[in-house]
Amino acid sequence: MRLLSALLSVILLSTGLTPAPRSTAQSEPVQTSPAIVIGFVGGFIKHDDMVHSEVQLGALLRAEYATGVHVQVFGNHHGDDAFNEILRLLDVNGDGKLSAEEKSDARIVIYGHSWGGSETVALARRLQKDAIPVLLTVQVDSVQKPREDDSTIPANVEQAVNFYQTDGLVHGRQHIRAENAERTQILGNFRISYQTKAPVCQGYPWFASLFEKAHIEIECDPNVWNQVGALIRARLPQRFESHGS
């Protein structure tokens, strides 16, 4: 065996090649950013108010995805905080700036209700300016905020969907469109009606129930939010559940 190794070394040297040294260090696992789910509540609602379905969905997703997915809900006036949190999560090497690879590896879903729906699109558009892709945006009875455009989905978004109702004083955006139809798939603009049957919404203040009745009914409708949750889960990594014996 020693003679064979020596002979091989002679052959390599004679051809101008040298054997590669053996690596003693184990290869380090490649770091990747987590999938990111950002939710926005409407109005002046607190980000942790569990009365609201946006917050409930965020808590449910956090419980379902213990690792590999970062879920966080923000007030719609805290878009800067959401944007900065995304940048922090994508910066896997911690050098304070995003490489082209870190940007392309982004897996981001954004959803929101009312003004939160408007902020959903605003955040996606801000990410577009930094060349960061978004997998999915979900708007539920989206109400446009001042100086924002919640009707046009920027081209960095892969898929977008809109749920809305048209009753009462406050009602949502009826139609969203793609800035670039070749880059963004609009999954649908789905109208929801509560004229014949409406969900029971508990924990809302009396003035919201009086003046925003249908607007809060779509927010507390479990059928709508089950669909929202299913759409989000379809874009997240597969969950591996352990089964005890």
Side-chain angles (χ1 to χ4, degrees):
M1 183 63 70
R2 290 180 180 177
L3 179 60
L4 181 59
S5 297
L7 181 60
L8 180 58
S9 297
V10 170
I11 294 173
L12 291 170
L13 287 171
S14 66
T15 58
L17 301 175
T18 56
R22 292 184 180 180
S23 174
T24 57
Q26 295 182 348
S27 59
E28 296 182 358
V30 178
Q31 286 186 310
T32 58
S33 60
I36 302 169
V37 180
I38 298 294
F40 286 111
V41 291
F44 295 93
I45 297 165
K46 294 183 178 180
H47 72 280
D48 57 355
D49 188 341
M50 289 297 292
V51 167
H52 301 272
S53 295
E54 309 93 294
V55 183
Q56 295 171 21
L57 178 58
L60 183 61
L61 291 173
R62 277 193 297 272
E64 291 178 358
Y65 295 88
T67 60
V69 179
H70 179 90
V71 184
Q72 194 164 350
V73 179
F74 293 86
N76 66 79
H77 301 282
H78 295 91
D80 287 346
D81 294 338
F83 177 75
N84 291 329
E85 180 67 0
I86 289 174
L87 297 187
R88 185 189 70 80
L89 292 166
L90 294 181
D91 183 17
V92 294
N93 63 8
D95 66 353
K97 57 183 178 180
L98 295 185
S99 65
E101 183 178 3
E102 286 172 329
K103 292 180 181 181
S104 64
D105 286 343
R107 296 162 296 164
I108 302 170
V109 174
I110 314 171
Y111 71 92
H113 168 256
S114 190
W115 276 355
S118 182
E119 195 62 33
T120 290
V121 181
L123 177 59
R125 185 168 291 111
R126 188 170 179 182
L127 292 169
Q128 181 185 38
K129 294 179 180 178
D130 276 14
I132 299 173
V134 174
L135 293 175
L136 173 70
T137 60
V138 183
Q139 294 164 259
V140 178
D141 223 32
S142 183
V143 176
Q144 183 171 302
K145 293 172 65 179
R147 298 182 297 278
E148 290 185 356
D149 175 10
D150 66 340
S151 66
T152 306
I153 307 302
N156 64 320
V157 176
E158 188 174 311
Q159 293 181 323
V161 64
N162 179 45
F163 297 90
Y164 70 96
Q165 57 79 35
T166 59
D167 301 318
L169 295 174
V170 182
H171 48 79
R173 167 74 58 188
Q174 297 184 34
H175 182 78
I176 60 172
R177 66 176 187 87
E179 180 181 84
N180 185 336
E182 295 183 356
R183 299 277 302 276
T184 303
Q185 178 189 14
I186 303 298
L187 298 176
N189 291 279
F190 299 105
R191 180 185 177 186
I192 313 296
S193 176
Y194 300 106
Q195 292 184 357
T196 57
K197 185 178 180 181
V200 177
C201 300
Q202 297 180 338
Y204 287 81
W206 66 268
F207 55 85
S209 300
L210 181 62
F211 296 108
E212 305 176 18
K213 186 174 183 296
H215 188 56
I216 65 173
E217 285 171 344
I218 195 171
E219 186 191 16
C220 75
D221 185 347
N223 293 324
V224 169
W225 289 94
N226 285 340
Q227 294 180 67
V228 173
L231 287 166
I232 292 174
R233 291 181 184 92
R235 304 313 310 265
L236 297 181
Q238 183 178 356
R239 287 178 295 156
F240 295 94
E241 299 178 359
S242 60
H243 300 278
S245 57

